[in-house]
Amino acid sequence: MNSLPLPKNKLMTKLSVNINKIATLRNARGGNLPNVLKTALDIERFGAEGITVHPRPDERHIRYRDVLDLKPVLTTEFNIEGYPSAAFIDLVLGVKPAQVTLVPDPPDALTSNNGWDTIKNQDFLKEIITRFHQKGIRTSIL
């Protein structure tokens, strides 16, 4: 199947696959099956253009160690989502992914269910976004 070339001024949306549930299954089973690193590499090999992770403080799915292990082996875009706690900010600044997505969920939240109140959190978000931009990390907010 041939595809038509895109005009040079058009941007395409890229598929980034969130692998948190793979890590949740691994953690529930104990051990390292399914293997998060192998799965991420397979996802890239199958055509995804990015890998997304959301490490939480309780490490119930992706662990901070996973993030550190993934960074050197990924060949596509790496996106780290999370609440910008001090530990999360340090992780992101150390790993320097292509993108960080700031999520307004408290550490004990089961899942993200709403976005930022950007008016109420304007100063907080500006400060954090500036820090990430200074390191060349594209920043998105939920």
mmCIF file of all heavy atoms in Angstrom, residues 13-17 39-51 75-77:
data_model
loop_
_atom_site.group_PDB
_atom_site.id
_atom_site.type_symbol
_atom_site.label_atom_id
_atom_site.label_comp_id
_atom_site.label_asym_id
_atom_site.label_seq_id
_atom_site.Cartn_x
_atom_site.Cartn_y
_atom_site.Cartn_z
ATOM 1 N N THR A 13 0.406 13.269 13.864
ATOM 2 C CA THR A 13 0.326 12.781 15.226
ATOM 3 C C THR A 13 1.107 11.488 15.298
ATOM 4 O O THR A 13 1.036 10.642 14.405
ATOM 5 C CB THR A 13 -1.145 12.528 15.617
ATOM 6 O OG1 THR A 13 -1.845 13.760 15.496
ATOM 7 C CG2 THR A 13 -1.258 11.999 17.022
ATOM 8 N N LYS A 14 1.862 11.318 16.381
ATOM 9 C CA LYS A 14 2.655 10.108 16.570
ATOM 10 C C LYS A 14 2.010 9.244 17.641
ATOM 11 O O LYS A 14 1.503 9.756 18.628
ATOM 12 C CB LYS A 14 4.084 10.466 16.986
ATOM 13 C CG LYS A 14 4.856 11.200 15.911
ATOM 14 C CD LYS A 14 6.259 11.491 16.376
ATOM 15 C CE LYS A 14 7.053 12.198 15.296
ATOM 16 N NZ LYS A 14 8.437 12.420 15.711
ATOM 17 N N LEU A 15 2.054 7.939 17.440
ATOM 18 C CA LEU A 15 1.518 7.000 18.414
ATOM 19 C C LEU A 15 2.557 6.728 19.488
ATOM 20 O O LEU A 15 3.657 6.248 19.208
ATOM 21 C CB LEU A 15 1.137 5.680 17.735
ATOM 22 C CG LEU A 15 0.739 4.547 18.685
ATOM 23 C CD1 LEU A 15 -0.548 4.891 19.437
ATOM 24 C CD2 LEU A 15 0.603 3.239 17.914
ATOM 25 N N SER A 16 2.203 7.046 20.731
ATOM 26 C CA SER A 16 3.036 6.702 21.884
ATOM 27 C C SER A 16 2.234 5.737 22.743
ATOM 28 O O SER A 16 1.104 6.038 23.131
ATOM 29 C CB SER A 16 3.398 7.960 22.681
ATOM 30 O OG SER A 16 4.309 7.642 23.716
ATOM 31 N N VAL A 17 2.788 4.575 23.019
ATOM 32 C CA VAL A 17 2.085 3.532 23.752
ATOM 33 C C VAL A 17 2.463 3.598 25.233
ATOM 34 O O VAL A 17 3.642 3.574 25.588
ATOM 35 C CB VAL A 17 2.419 2.135 23.181
ATOM 36 C CG1 VAL A 17 1.747 1.040 23.991
ATOM 37 C CG2 VAL A 17 1.998 2.062 21.713
ATOM 38 N N THR A 39 9.128 -5.622 26.190
ATOM 39 C CA THR A 39 7.845 -5.191 25.640
ATOM 40 C C THR A 39 7.964 -3.822 24.979
ATOM 41 O O THR A 39 7.450 -3.609 23.878
ATOM 42 C CB THR A 39 6.772 -5.171 26.741
ATOM 43 O OG1 THR A 39 6.659 -6.480 27.302
ATOM 44 C CG2 THR A 39 5.434 -4.724 26.197
ATOM 45 N N ALA A 40 8.638 -2.888 25.635
ATOM 46 C CA ALA A 40 8.818 -1.550 25.059
ATOM 47 C C ALA A 40 9.572 -1.625 23.730
ATOM 48 O O ALA A 40 9.198 -0.962 22.755
ATOM 49 C CB ALA A 40 9.548 -0.648 26.040
ATOM 50 N N LEU A 41 10.612 -2.432 23.685
ATOM 51 C CA LEU A 41 11.382 -2.578 22.445
ATOM 52 C C LEU A 41 10.548 -3.243 21.348
ATOM 53 O O LEU A 41 10.639 -2.866 20.176
ATOM 54 C CB LEU A 41 12.669 -3.355 22.710
ATOM 55 C CG LEU A 41 13.677 -2.624 23.611
ATOM 56 C CD1 LEU A 41 14.849 -3.530 23.946
ATOM 57 C CD2 LEU A 41 14.145 -1.327 22.981
ATOM 58 N N ASP A 42 9.733 -4.226 21.722
ATOM 59 C CA ASP A 42 8.834 -4.847 20.746
ATOM 60 C C ASP A 42 7.837 -3.827 20.214
ATOM 61 O O ASP A 42 7.556 -3.791 19.006
ATOM 62 C CB ASP A 42 8.081 -6.027 21.368
ATOM 63 C CG ASP A 42 8.939 -7.268 21.545
ATOM 64 O OD1 ASP A 42 10.043 -7.344 20.964
ATOM 65 O OD2 ASP A 42 8.507 -8.164 22.301
ATOM 66 N N ILE A 43 7.278 -3.017 21.085
ATOM 67 C CA ILE A 43 6.313 -1.998 20.673
ATOM 68 C C ILE A 43 6.954 -1.039 19.663
ATOM 69 O O ILE A 43 6.350 -0.697 18.644
ATOM 70 C CB ILE A 43 5.749 -1.246 21.897
ATOM 71 C CG1 ILE A 43 4.844 -2.184 22.701
ATOM 72 C CG2 ILE A 43 5.018 0.019 21.484
ATOM 73 C CD1 ILE A 43 4.490 -1.663 24.083
ATOM 74 N N GLU A 44 8.182 -0.633 19.926
ATOM 75 C CA GLU A 44 8.899 0.216 18.971
ATOM 76 C C GLU A 44 9.097 -0.528 17.645
ATOM 77 O O GLU A 44 8.850 0.026 16.572
ATOM 78 C CB GLU A 44 10.264 0.615 19.514
ATOM 79 C CG GLU A 44 10.228 1.637 20.598
ATOM 80 C CD GLU A 44 11.623 2.069 21.017
ATOM 81 O OE1 GLU A 44 12.574 1.270 20.957
ATOM 82 O OE2 GLU A 44 11.762 3.233 21.412
ATOM 83 N N ARG A 45 9.512 -1.776 17.728
ATOM 84 C CA ARG A 45 9.775 -2.575 16.533
ATOM 85 C C ARG A 45 8.506 -2.762 15.703
ATOM 86 O O ARG A 45 8.544 -2.812 14.474
ATOM 87 C CB ARG A 45 10.354 -3.931 16.949
ATOM 88 C CG ARG A 45 10.840 -4.794 15.810
ATOM 89 C CD ARG A 45 11.660 -5.984 16.302
ATOM 90 N NE ARG A 45 11.019 -6.734 17.360
ATOM 91 C CZ ARG A 45 10.155 -7.739 17.172
ATOM 92 N NH1 ARG A 45 9.813 -8.097 15.952
ATOM 93 N NH2 ARG A 45 9.630 -8.379 18.211
ATOM 94 N N PHE A 46 7.361 -2.832 16.368
ATOM 95 C CA PHE A 46 6.087 -3.003 15.671
ATOM 96 C C PHE A 46 5.563 -1.689 15.087
ATOM 97 O O PHE A 46 4.507 -1.674 14.467
ATOM 98 C CB PHE A 46 5.039 -3.606 16.600
ATOM 99 C CG PHE A 46 5.376 -4.995 17.079
ATOM 100 C CD1 PHE A 46 4.969 -5.407 18.334
ATOM 101 C CD2 PHE A 46 6.099 -5.891 16.306
ATOM 102 C CE1 PHE A 46 5.272 -6.683 18.799
ATOM 103 C CE2 PHE A 46 6.411 -7.164 16.758
ATOM 104 C CZ PHE A 46 5.991 -7.560 18.000
ATOM 105 N N GLY A 47 6.263 -0.575 15.310
ATOM 106 C CA GLY A 47 5.910 0.659 14.628
ATOM 107 C C GLY A 47 5.477 1.835 15.482
ATOM 108 O O GLY A 47 5.252 2.914 14.947
ATOM 109 N N ALA A 48 5.332 1.648 16.792
ATOM 110 C CA ALA A 48 4.979 2.803 17.625
ATOM 111 C C ALA A 48 6.118 3.813 17.589
ATOM 112 O O ALA A 48 7.288 3.448 17.483
ATOM 113 C CB ALA A 48 4.700 2.372 19.055
ATOM 114 N N GLU A 49 5.762 5.061 17.688
ATOM 115 C CA GLU A 49 6.763 6.121 17.588
ATOM 116 C C GLU A 49 7.128 6.721 18.937
ATOM 117 O O GLU A 49 7.842 7.710 19.008
ATOM 118 C CB GLU A 49 6.252 7.200 16.638
ATOM 119 C CG GLU A 49 6.056 6.640 15.245
ATOM 120 C CD GLU A 49 5.217 7.539 14.360
ATOM 121 O OE1 GLU A 49 4.060 7.807 14.721
ATOM 122 O OE2 GLU A 49 5.729 7.958 13.321
ATOM 123 N N GLY A 50 6.638 6.093 20.004
ATOM 124 C CA GLY A 50 6.970 6.571 21.331
ATOM 125 C C GLY A 50 6.523 5.600 22.401
ATOM 126 O O GLY A 50 5.655 4.759 22.183
ATOM 127 N N ILE A 51 7.131 5.739 23.556
ATOM 128 C CA ILE A 51 6.780 4.966 24.744
ATOM 129 C C ILE A 51 6.447 5.962 25.846
ATOM 130 O O ILE A 51 7.188 6.920 26.081
ATOM 131 C CB ILE A 51 7.936 4.050 25.189
ATOM 132 C CG1 ILE A 51 8.284 3.036 24.089
ATOM 133 C CG2 ILE A 51 7.634 3.367 26.517
ATOM 134 C CD1 ILE A 51 7.201 2.015 23.783
ATOM 135 N N THR A 75 14.588 3.876 21.218
ATOM 136 C CA THR A 75 15.035 4.603 20.026
ATOM 137 C C THR A 75 13.984 5.587 19.536
ATOM 138 O O THR A 75 14.237 6.366 18.627
ATOM 139 C CB THR A 75 15.377 3.618 18.883
ATOM 140 O OG1 THR A 75 14.217 2.837 18.595
ATOM 141 C CG2 THR A 75 16.532 2.710 19.278
ATOM 142 N N THR A 76 12.795 5.520 20.126
ATOM 143 C CA THR A 76 11.718 6.444 19.764
ATOM 144 C C THR A 76 11.544 7.455 20.890
ATOM 145 O O THR A 76 12.270 7.444 21.876
ATOM 146 C CB THR A 76 10.401 5.675 19.536
ATOM 147 O OG1 THR A 76 10.077 4.977 20.732
ATOM 148 C CG2 THR A 76 10.516 4.707 18.387
ATOM 149 N N GLU A 77 10.540 8.284 20.740
ATOM 150 C CA GLU A 77 10.279 9.314 21.739
ATOM 151 C C GLU A 77 9.875 8.712 23.084
ATOM 152 O O GLU A 77 9.117 7.747 23.130
ATOM 153 C CB GLU A 77 9.163 10.214 21.207
ATOM 154 C CG GLU A 77 8.897 11.404 22.081
ATOM 155 C CD GLU A 77 7.980 12.391 21.396
ATOM 156 O OE1 GLU A 77 8.476 13.138 20.534
ATOM 157 O OE2 GLU A 77 6.792 12.407 21.718
#
